[in-house]
Amino acid sequence: MVRGVVFVLLVAVTLPVVPRVRAICTTSLSADRVASCAFNPLLLLVERSGWVLSRQNCGETIGSEAFEVPPIVYFDYTEPEHLYTVVFVVENIHQHPSDNDSTERTFYLQWLVVNIPDSSLANGMRYMDGDTIVDYLSPMPRSADDDGDVDGQPTRYGVYLYEQVYGTIYPPTPNTREYFNLDGWIGTIYPEAALCGPVASIGFGV
């Protein structure tokens, strides 16, 4: 019995430690290719409601009151001493009956925060962390025919995390929340390719 215990201990000591692997971000995807459940999962916690959004329930339809206040944002796989940007948008799908029923995807900006330290995301990013470019706007239920949205579909919300490759950024404030041009806004940040990602995301429907 003692010999068996010693063998187990020797195996445990000699086995190599497997390092935690982080994805290396090299480019930003165009806005038409982002999807809220397609990347490494963020975790959102709303203290007031107790609601938790994670990989397990990403994409679920919930009541808009669940995110009446800004959530605490968690991400475990940050790069040490790196800064990050959080973009919270609502996705609208517009249908054009006069154009062979083609659809158009647009974004409405709900929240935009830059220069978030990696430690804030690891411990839970709160409303006061980072530099807020556009204040938090809680989700609102919308009727199916608002702005030509496709009938019968829930309004889709997505939170996207971008890595700031070159450290602190000083981006311009978008002119409007409506028809937010994600690609265009990223393109205004100097130097070129300063934002990389999304490196993580999470989403839900209302």
Side-chain angles (χ1 to χ4, degrees):
M1 180 66 180
V2 174
R3 183 178 300 173
V5 172
V6 172
F7 175 75
V8 171
L9 289 174
L10 286 174
V11 171
V13 170
T14 56
L15 282 176
V17 176
V18 179
R20 187 172 69 171
V21 177
R22 293 185 176 90
I24 298 175
C25 190
T26 58
T27 187
S28 286
L29 295 178
S30 60
D32 60 351
R33 295 176 60 194
V34 300
S36 59
C37 296
F39 305 96
N40 289 322
L42 294 169
L43 186 145
L44 305 186
L45 167 65
V46 183
E47 289 183 311
R48 181 180 297 179
S49 66
W51 183 264
V52 176
L53 187 66
S54 65
R55 179 193 293 274
Q56 284 69 31
N57 57 350
C58 185
E60 282 190 1
T61 300
I62 63 175
S64 59
E65 67 279 0
F67 288 96
E68 185 177 355
V69 297
I72 302 173
V73 182
Y74 291 88
F75 184 54
D76 290 335
Y77 300 105
T78 55
E79 289 289 343
E81 300 182 3
H82 278 220
L83 298 174
Y84 291 83
T85 291
V86 163
V87 181
F88 179 29
V89 294
V90 56
E91 173 188 340
N92 294 314
I93 303 296
H94 306 277
Q95 197 169 44
H96 304 286
S98 60
D99 189 17
N100 297 322
D101 291 330
S102 64
T103 58
E104 177 190 9
R105 184 189 190 201
T106 63
F107 293 114
Y108 186 95
L109 183 60
Q110 301 285 132
W111 193 24
L112 181 57
V113 185
V114 303
N115 301 325
I116 304 164
D118 64 289
S119 58
S120 293
L121 290 162
N123 298 314
M125 170 211 160
R126 295 177 178 269
Y127 184 72
M128 298 304 294
D129 292 333
D131 298 326
T132 299
I133 303 300
V134 176
D135 284 331
Y136 182 83
L137 183 64
S138 59
M140 294 290 292
R142 298 186 180 185
S143 62
D145 57 356
D146 276 352
D147 296 325
D149 284 357
V150 176
D151 187 33
Q153 297 296 320
T155 302
R156 287 165 290 273
Y157 290 82
V159 180
Y160 298 95
L161 184 70
Y162 288 82
E163 183 180 328
Q164 297 176 200
V165 179
Y166 304 116
T168 303
I169 60 174
Y170 303 94
T173 300
N175 294 327
T176 178
R177 292 179 184 265
E178 193 172 10
Y179 293 101
F180 174 59
N181 185 341
L182 179 58
D183 292 335
W185 181 78
I186 290 176
T188 63
I189 300 172
Y190 181 83
E192 186 177 353
L195 281 190
C196 186
V199 295
S201 63
I202 202 75
F204 58 93
V206 170

